[in-house]
Every structure is written in structure tokens, then in C-alpha cells.
Amino acid sequence: METEINEFVEAHYDISAGQISRLEGYGSENYRVETKVGRSFVLKFYRPNDVENLQQLLEAENQLLMTLTADNHNGYPIPQADSEGRLLSFSKQKNRYYRLLSFVEGRLLCEVDHTPELLGSFGIFLGEMNSRMLGFRHLATEAREFEWDLKNLELNRKYIRLIENPSHRKIVEYFFLQYSELVTPNLEQLRKCVIHGDANDWNVLTSEGLVSGIIDFADIVYSPLINDLAIAVTYAIFDKADVIEPALSIISGYHSVLPLRELEVKLLYYLIAARASITVCHAAKSKADGLTEDYIYISANPAVELLEKWIRINPSFFENEVSRALGFEPKLRNGTVESDLAKRHKTASRALSLQFTKPIKMIGAAFQFMYDSTGKSYLDCYNNIPQVGHCHPRVVNAGQRAMAKLNTNTRYLSDVYNEYSENLLARFPDSLSKVFFVNSGSAASDLAIRLAAAHTGRAGIVVIEHGYHGNTRLGIDISHYKYNRKGGHGKNPSIVEAAVPDTYKGKFYDENAGNQFGRELIDQLCSSEIEVAAFIAEPIVGCGGQIPLPAGYLKRVYPFIREIGGVCISDEVQTGFGRLGRYFWGFEMHGVEPDIVVLGKPMGNGHPIAAVVTSDAIAESFETGMEFFSSFGGNPVSCAIGQAVLDVLSDEDLPKNAEDVGRHLKRLLKDLVEKYEVCGDARGEGLFLGLELVIDKGSKKPNTELASFLQNELKERGILVGTDGPFENVLKIKPPICFSVENAEELVSNIKQILEGLDG
Ligand code: PMP
């Protein structure tokens, strides 16, 4: 081989070749040629049909390199003319295009220590390179439809489904969505030129601690200028614990020679994510194609790790940091919410509460992370409405597509309505076979009570102490948590209050407690005059302080309610849709089948869709001649979104995740109970957990102050939890169920640190 190449070089170039060695690389076959007088070149062969428009692109590359090296700059490969004066030639004998370039000396960026100075020089080098390229045009680069070109991110969408790991897949899809929302509409505005397109650390050369050269111009495209910097930053921050500082070094260096514009700075966050996403997409494609070469996958893991880190960074924070480093006006305010508060109070009743002593203004979110207006990110351990994760791209896409097509009411026949109804009901026991769609949990619980009344002809409702079911008039009437607290009107005569079967503070606590609490309620009902239409309970009483109904309780109560002519309602607004892990619905945990089920919150992942599910017989009793109509309930957009939530739950196996992560988290919370006198009880199922804070274990007196302190202190540390229970002394933990083991550990170690601080 060596002699053959030697002969080839000497036959076509005015060079007397010495040492020949094969170089790695894809897209071409490369040889290093060292001459007898100590000069060094790279001979490259290209298969003619590998790339569309190969000849034109190679010509463009040569012309660009001639432009870049017009002053003999030795940081770029210089195309060498063959003995006939051509920079690119074709060998019929070999059936290959070929060309010779000067060899660029230096150590690869991936082989050296990335000091701030080195990264700064990288930015300067890129800025100088791009400045030299600004006026360069070539049709082939403009016509190129290239998947690695960031402006063509969409061309890679077809590979997303090939990403095997669902949690990687959804992050990539999320960044595709953000790109189409935020970058695509701005593409017109961005200044464009021919860019290098692949300034990764295997293509960048350094010498004496500074970047000195760049090779491999095979990815040149006519694209937004900022993409060159975005690509360089992406690779340079792979495998780094801190990604911000290195990024700022490169960006500042670049800006010092080629000033960036505000819009470019604004989009950088998303462009960096887009490049890492393309890398992940292509690794998945290569894997699906059965390719095994190591270099294909070299960037795939760091790219995924970067995306996982990136999603925790508030995009406004990144923009602000870059703006600050470049001397632009900072974008973020200093954390005061006074003017927002004033505006809110001008239009909103004080009855609408705000959380936290210092309220947060949220501006964005991704899965289990939320972003506020000061640039801070939060780990969301509390919001149970975005069940499959905030802004899940599949749910958002489903809603966007459906909204663009048709949004009307249920008085027309609709495929998506029928399909979603069937798929939702398939999740229930056969006895529950009819569904009514509404828009909120409150509307659903209200309707559930009306159904029960219509079916039984009675008005009495048995409710659990501290339970909450809705904000309608009827909802308040059946919510002890509301009517019995500040501003409440007290118990309505048709209500029977059942003691909350709390095995921590209540009078029964052993394995027979469910039976005993049940027995008490039955006794109470036996001596009550009220004619019971329904018994309504959550499987775990949420607002009551995450109190799981004890095993055996519903098994005892349900048959009795039916015996006295009532129906049983399970309010699954908080516990449903896989939050409890093994049990897709909370009633399954209790081994019972309700007559009516109330659904809400997670059903649309934040889109207002809710429902009542019931039996044929009860639904029939509601057919009184009066129409049931909900303007928005069951519209095609809501159904499409509801269907997307069901699909994501199963495709990402999220109930299983809730089970596994929930089990781990509960164990960690139980460890806190073992260790700290103020941690009275840890309880719940799946990712619906509570930590009850007490003054001391002996008295079990509520420690409201500590709960509030912990909640606010965690918020300062970027972690969101809620408090609940009649004394607001229970930390409520109910995160999006894509929550991870690492997230759980982060939460508990922060609680620990705060508690340790108290002890000290
Ligand atoms: N039932 C339960 C158990 C709830 O937790 C809630 C809301 N917190 C509702 C019903 C009412 O739902 P919405 O706020 O959607 O009206």
C-alpha cells in the first residue's frame, strides 16, 4: 500500500514522497505523506457517489481554503495543485476523486487540558476564521441539504424514534420542540455565511496552550453564522462538570474579534442543545443500521449527558450569563417581584393565594425542572398535574396538531373522541364502562355527586374528614377541608363526616386498623338518619396530609354503602394515572371496584381535561331527558392530549418509574423518621408521599412552623415541595412521575442538610 501511494503522489504531484501513513477519518480515505525534505501533506481519496454533489462541494471546500489561506495562514489545510495545476482531480483507474492538502501541525484539542486561556483562544480562532469567511459564497454550500447543518435540525426528526432509551428520547424531542418554537421563526433574521460546521475537538489543533488550527472542512454549509460557535461550544463542554464557564470563555473570545448580536446570544442555548441532539439522533441511526465503528459513538454518551445537564439550566440564566460576559445589558431582574405582585393584586382577588413567603414568577419548565424569571432552576417535587413531565413534547405536539385541525364540541361524531374514550375505559374494570368528559376535577366531582343522586334518588353524602373534592358549590359542600376551615360555612345537613382513618395519629394503628375504622363508620351510619346516596373518598387523602386509607378500610366500607343503597365514588384526581406505581388507580391498591370514579389533574398533563367514569346502570339513570352538555369537555383537542398522555405513560413505562423511584424515596424519608425527632411519619405510595413534621415523636403535635421553614428553605435551594394537612405540617411530595432516583436523593439530602443546620 505504501509504495502504491508513494508512486501515486510522485506521479501526480511535484513531490518526492518519503514516509506514508494511513490516517483515520470518515468520508474519505486519508494518507499522511511526508516528503524527503521534511514537508507534510494529507492525500485524500473520495468515492464519487458517497455524497451528493461531491465534486462541487470539494471545489467549494478548496476555494474556501484558498480564501482562508490567502495570506499563507498555516492554521488551515492549504490545497496543493497537482502537476496539471488542479486542486481537485479524478483518477479513472482508482475511480476516486483525490486532492492533496498541507498537513496542519499541532496537538488535537481533545488531547490537551482545556484551560480558560486555551478556550478563549479557541473562540478567537473561530471568530477570525468566520471573519475571513464572511464574504465567501459558493452555490454548492447553499444547495446542500445536510442533516448536520443546525438549520436543518428537522431532517433528523425521523431518527428520534430510534433512540432506545425513552428518557433520552424525550429530552431530544423536547429540544426539537424548543428549536421549532424559538429558533425556526428567527432563522430569517440571523446573518448567514458559509461555516465550517464541525469544530469538534478532534478537528481543532493547538500549540503551546492555544488553539492554532482547524481541519476537516467536509461539513461546510451556508448557515447562520452563530451555528459555528454553537457547534464548537457543544463539543468543548462535553464531559465537563461545569459547562457554563468553559462556554463563556469560548464565546467571549469569539465576540472579541467578531461581535455577536443579541438575537444570536438569545438562541445559543437552543442551538447548543440542537447540536447535541443531532449527535444523539445519528448515534441511534448508526446503531439501528448495525454500524459498530467506535468513532460513531464517541460523542453519543457525552451528548446525552450534556442534554441531561442542559435541561436543568434555565435558558434565561444562560442567556444572561453570556450577555454579562459580553458586556450586553443583563436580561434578568434581581429577584424582586414587587411590581408583578402589584399588578396581580390589581386584578386578582386576595382569595387567590400565592405560594412561598417570596412568591416565584415562573417562565418555563421542562419535565421535572422549572425556570423562574430570575434565572433560577427548580427541581419540581410537587406539581402533580404535569404527570409525564412539564411541557412533554409529545403532549405539546398532540395539542398543537389537534388545535390546528379542529376544536369543537361533542355534538358531532369524532374519531379521536371514540378512540380516547375506549382507550381510557380499557384501563378500568369491565364494570366501569361509561365516561363523561368535563374540564376540571371540580366539575367532575360535582357531576359524580349528581350521578349518584340521580341513580339513588337520595341526597346524603358520606365524606372523609379533611378531604377535598372541588371548588363548585357542591364541591365545597362535600369538602370537609373547605367547609370546616377558615371562611367555611360548616357542614351541610346532608353530609355525614367519617373520621379520617389516620393510622399515625388516629386511634387505630395496627394491621387491623382499616377494619376497625371501617367498623366505626358503619356504626355511625347505622345510627344516622341521613339517606346515603354516595360515599366519596380519595384512596390517599391528599389535602388531609397524604394519609393512605388503611388496608381493609374500603373493603369494609364499600359493601356496606351498597347495602344501604348508596354508591361508592373514588376520587382519583390526585392518585390516578399511574402515580401510585403498581396501581394505575388508587382503588386497585385497596382491592375494591368503585361505582363512580372522578378523574382530573394529570389527565391532560396540564391541559384542562377531567372525567367521570361510571357503570352502564348509573349512566342510564342519568338519562332523565335533561341533556348533559359540557362546552369544552371531550373536545377533539382535549381527547388528543389525553390520548398522548396515556401513550407517554405506557411508552415511557412511567408507572413503573413511579413505583421504583417512589419505593426508594419512601425509604429515604423513612430514614429521616428514624433519625430526626421532628420527622414523625413518612407515608404514601409510588410518587404520592408525605413527611409529617412534629414537635416531638411522643406528642406528635404538628410542627407547622418547621414545615413552612423547610418548604421555603428548600425553595431557596431550588427544590419545590408543598405543605398540607389540617395543620399544614405535612411535606407533600408528588413530582412529575419522570422523577429520578438522583432527584429523590437530591431532595432528601437537602432536607437532611436543613435539619442538621437546625440541630446545630
Ligand atoms: N379532587 C381532588 C382530590 C383534588 O385534589 C382536586 C384539586 N386539588 C379536585 C378534586 C378539584 O380539581 P380541580 O382543581 O381541577 O377543579
Side-chain angles (χ1 to χ4, degrees):
M1 173 55 83
E2 216 175 280
T3 29
E4 190 194 325
I5 298 296
N6 230 316
E7 281 166 19
F8 187 91
V9 171
E10 292 191 351
H12 295 90
Y13 294 91
D14 296 331
I15 281 175
S16 45
Q19 184 100 3
I20 305 285
S21 49
R22 180 89 194 240
L23 293 174
E24 280 197 33
Y26 61 121
S28 58
E29 187 183 318
N30 304 325
Y31 297 92
R32 182 167 179 178
V33 180
E34 277 160 289
T35 68
K36 295 193 174 117
V37 292
R39 294 183 64 202
S40 195
F41 298 95
V42 180
L43 178 65
K44 294 168 89 71
F45 292 102
Y46 302 84
R47 277 206 295 262
N49 298 320
D50 269 5
V51 175
E52 207 177 326
N53 286 336
L54 176 69
Q55 186 188 337
Q56 289 84 344
L57 280 169
L58 289 172
E59 280 166 2
E61 210 186 301
N62 280 341
Q63 283 177 28
L64 175 65
L65 289 172
M66 294 309 276
T67 308
L68 287 172
T69 56
D71 60 354
N72 281 324
H73 193 301
N74 62 5
Y76 311 97
I78 305 174
Q80 308 292 311
D82 67 8
S83 38
E84 290 170 40
R86 286 189 301 243
L87 300 180
L88 176 69
S89 310
F90 185 75
S91 160
K92 278 204 184 116
Q93 188 196 356
K94 282 183 169 292
N95 189 28
R96 294 282 186 277
Y97 285 101
Y98 64 90
R99 60 184 181 138
L100 191 72
L101 301 170
S102 65
F103 185 86
V104 183
E105 301 287 346
R107 289 184 70 193
L108 292 173
L109 184 59
C110 59
E111 295 170 339
V112 299
D113 191 21
H114 291 188
T115 63
E117 198 189 8
L118 175 89
L119 294 176
S121 77
F122 184 18
I124 292 172
F125 188 93
L126 281 175
E128 281 174 353
M129 177 185 77
N130 281 161
S131 302
R132 287 164 184 251
M133 293 158 94
L134 278 177
F136 179 83
R137 300 291 289 263
H138 193 290
L139 266 182
T141 65
E142 280 161 58
R144 192 170 192 188
E145 282 251 303
F146 189 43
E147 288 172 351
W148 289 91
D149 179 357
L150 281 188
K151 77 170 183 302
N152 289 337
L153 180 71
E154 272 302 314
L155 294 179
N156 298 282
R157 187 179 285 281
K158 55 187 174 287
Y159 305 133
I160 295 179
R161 65 182 178 82
L162 303 175
I163 302 171
E164 284 172 3
N165 180 320
S167 69
H168 300 167
R169 189 166 62 227
K170 74 176 188 196
I171 297 184
V172 167
E173 198 165 2
Y174 170 83
F175 280 119
F176 269 67
L177 174 64
Q178 299 307 315
Y179 186 99
S180 68
E181 287 296 304
L182 300 163
V183 180
T184 307
N186 283 304
L187 280 175
E188 278 295 307
Q189 257 77 267
L190 292 171
R191 50 185 163 159
K192 294 172 199 70
C193 71
V194 175
I195 62 166
H196 178 281
D198 194 18
N200 75 61
D201 50 3
W202 290 80
N203 285 340
V204 175
L205 295 148
T206 66
S207 130
E208 293 173 17
L210 298 177
V211 167
S212 55
I214 189 164
I215 55 171
D216 190 357
F217 283 69
D219 287 0
I220 54 170
V221 277
Y222 183 73
S223 199
L225 172 67
I226 186 67
N227 289 349
D228 240 0
L229 179 60
I231 292 166
V233 171
T234 308
Y235 291 97
I237 61 179
F238 278 176
D239 293 323
K240 293 206 170 41
D242 171 27
V243 290
I244 303 285
E245 284 306 318
L248 293 182
S249 297
I250 304 173
I251 297 165
S252 304
Y254 188 98
H255 183 73
S256 69
V257 276
L258 181 48
L260 293 171
R261 298 181 180 167
E262 293 218 356
L263 179 61
E264 292 168 333
V265 169
K266 193 175 176 55
L267 301 182
L268 257 177
Y269 173 91
Y270 300 101
L271 295 169
I272 291 167
R275 181 56 172 215
S277 299
I278 294 180
T279 303
V280 179
C281 282
H282 273 263
K285 175 187 185 292
S286 300
K287 184 144 190 232
D289 289 345
L291 304 183
T292 51
E293 290 88 338
D294 285 348
Y295 67 83
I296 296 171
Y297 302 102
I298 200 159
S299 300
N301 285 341
V304 161
E305 281 162 22
L306 175 62
L307 290 175
E308 284 176 332
K309 237 181 261 174
W310 211 237
I311 209 146
R312 289 206 68 155
I313 298 173
N314 185 329
S316 309
F317 171 77
F318 185 73
E319 184 190 353
N320 200 54
E321 289 300 288
V322 176
S323 298
R324 243 183 7 169
L326 304 190
F328 291 171
E329 189 74 16
K331 292 285 172 302
L332 297 175
R333 301 166 320 142
N334 278 338
T336 69
V337 285
E338 299 311 322
S339 72
D340 292 304
L341 266 178
K343 268 193 200 157
R344 173 163 167 133
H345 290 317
K346 230 170 138 180
T347 59
S349 152
R350 298 261 173 183
L352 269 88
S353 67
L354 279 160
Q355 216 177 4
F356 303 112
T357 320
K358 263 200 284 170
I360 307 175
K361 180 173 176 180
M362 287 297 182
I363 58 168
F367 305 107
Q368 65 271 50
F369 305 107
M370 300 185 83
Y371 312 130
D372 80 4
S373 62
T374 70
K376 193 165 172 172
S377 301
Y378 298 89
L379 173 64
D380 184 359
C381 308
Y382 170 58
N383 285 288
N384 59 343
I385 298 171
Q387 182 95 333
V388 301
H390 290 274
C391 301
H392 194 293
R394 284 183 65 191
V395 179
V396 175
N397 282 329
Q400 286 178 331
R401 273 198 307 273
M403 217 184 293
K405 192 174 171 201
L406 173 69
N407 194 359
T408 185
N409 62 63
T410 46
R411 287 200 183 110
Y412 305 98
L413 291 172
S414 153
D415 288 339
V416 64
Y417 175 94
N418 286 345
E419 281 160 23
Y420 177 51
S421 302
E422 260 178 42
N423 291 333
L424 180 65
L425 290 172
R427 295 283 191 160
F428 286 90
D430 291 346
S431 60
L432 294 166
S433 50
K434 287 282 184 292
V435 57
F436 295 84
F437 292 111
V438 288
N439 315 110
S440 67
S442 301
S445 60
D446 192 296
L447 177 60
I449 298 298
R450 288 181 57 209
L451 285 167
H455 188 64
T456 60
R458 300 166 170 195
I461 309 292
V462 184
V463 305
I464 301 238
E465 233 183 339
H466 312 307
Y468 175 69
H469 303 286
N471 62 22
T472 63
R473 175 89 188 227
L474 193 48
I476 300 296
D477 280 352
I478 59 170
S479 298
H480 177 267
Y481 178 80
K482 287 284 182 192
Y483 70 68
N484 196 48
R485 289 171 98 198
K486 235 191 195 164
H489 52 59
K491 187 173 84 71
N492 181 304
S494 61
I495 300 298
V496 180
E497 284 170 0
V500 62
D502 179 350
T503 54
Y504 174 59
K505 298 179 298 301
K507 58 179 175 188
F508 307 117
Y509 42 81
D510 60 18
E511 62 278 7
N512 201 25
N515 200 23
Q516 288 165 310
F517 277 115
R519 181 72 248 161
E520 279 218 331
L521 175 58
I522 289 168
D523 289 346
Q524 185 185 343
L525 289 171
C526 286
S527 57
S528 161
E529 308 267 282
I530 294 174
E531 299 225 302
V532 172
F535 165 81
I536 183 166
E538 290 176 88
I540 297 177
V541 187
C543 293
Q546 309 291 82
I547 298 175
L549 300 181
Y553 179 75
L554 292 183
K555 269 206 160 135
R556 185 87 209 236
V557 173
Y558 270 23
F560 182 77
I561 295 292
R562 287 175 181 140
E563 212 178 294
I564 59 171
V567 299
C568 302
I569 306 175
S570 186
D571 184 337
E572 301 277 351
V573 166
Q574 299 219 51
T575 49
F577 291 96
R579 173 161 298 278
L580 303 190
R582 261 180 304 162
Y583 312 106
F584 199 79
W585 308 114
F587 61 77
E588 293 168 6
M589 181 169 95
H590 295 285
V592 294
E593 282 187 16
D595 305 299
I596 301 176
V597 183
V598 177
L599 305 177
K601 286 189 195 290
M603 193 169 177
N605 210 46
H607 175 84
I609 177 169
V612 179
V613 168
T614 191
S615 63
D616 282 345
I618 294 177
E620 213 168 284
S621 305
F622 203 54
E623 292 171 12
T624 57
M626 183 196 283
E627 182 198 21
F628 174 75
F629 179 66
S630 163
S631 294
F632 307 128
N635 72 63
V637 174
S638 298
C639 289
I641 290 174
Q643 183 61 53
V645 172
L646 286 183
D647 292 343
V648 172
L649 281 169
S650 54
D651 292 353
E652 294 181 12
D653 213 2
L654 291 176
K656 176 80 170 73
N657 187 63
E659 179 184 346
D660 295 344
V661 177
R663 189 189 310 112
H664 185 70
L665 178 51
K666 190 166 159 187
R667 205 173 52 230
L668 295 176
L669 293 173
K670 290 231 179 252
D671 290 346
L672 294 181
V673 172
E674 290 263 297
K675 187 153 185 223
Y676 298 99
E677 186 63 16
V678 287
C679 296
D681 190 30
R683 56 182 176 250
E685 187 70 31
L687 282 170
F688 196 58
L689 302 169
L691 178 66
E692 178 149 354
L693 298 155
V694 292
I695 301 290
D696 57 73
K697 287 202 169 86
S699 73
K700 298 185 182 173
K701 277 201 186 126
N703 198 338
T704 308
E705 207 183 317
L706 176 60
S708 160
F709 180 76
L710 269 170
Q711 186 195 23
N712 281 290
E713 205 46 34
L714 284 167
K715 172 217 157 190
E716 292 308 311
R717 293 162 175 252
I719 296 175
L720 302 178
V721 296
T723 61
D724 222 323
F727 304 102
E728 296 287 340
N729 67 319
V730 180
L731 282 195
K732 208 155 61 164
I733 300 162
K734 42 178 194 161
I737 63 173
C738 51
F739 207 66
S740 69
V741 165
E742 295 75 43
N743 299 153
E745 286 172 355
E746 184 179 337
L747 165 67
V748 175
S749 79
N750 274 278
I751 296 178
K752 237 185 212 161
Q753 284 166 22
I754 299 170
L755 293 174
E756 291 294 333
L758 290 179
D759 286 344

